[in-house]
Amino acid sequence: MRRKYYKKYELPESAAPAPIVAVNPIMQKISQMNLDDIIIPILIFLMLTEENPDYITIAALAFIFFA
């Protein structure tokens, strides 16, 4: 009878697959975003925290972001 020998870090073929880890849907959406999709919400947040925010520009940026 022939024996199978495994290398130090090699898993045997009969090993069970790794358990599936639950993915947070928010983190999954953030990882799929482009750089432009991240910059616009940052700009909106910074403009809202100003002393006299320009609501027309904020509304335009929000429209671009959600379009």
Side-chain angles (χ1 to χ4, degrees):
M1 187 170 167
R2 193 165 191 204
R3 293 185 182 182
K4 279 191 165 183
Y5 293 101
Y6 301 102
K7 294 180 185 175
K8 187 174 183 180
Y9 297 107
E10 184 179 335
L11 291 175
E13 293 175 9
S14 63
I20 298 173
V21 178
V23 178
N24 188 350
I26 296 172
M27 293 303 293
Q28 184 179 12
K29 186 172 182 175
I30 290 173
S31 67
Q32 294 173 351
M33 292 177 119
N34 295 333
L35 182 63
D36 298 340
D37 296 336
I38 297 171
I39 291 175
I40 293 176
I42 293 172
L43 285 174
I44 291 172
F45 175 74
L46 289 175
M47 291 179 77
L48 283 172
T49 57
E50 290 180 356
E51 190 172 323
N52 295 320
D54 183 14
Y55 293 111
I56 295 174
T57 307
I58 293 170
L61 284 173
F63 179 78
I64 291 170
F65 180 71
F66 290 113

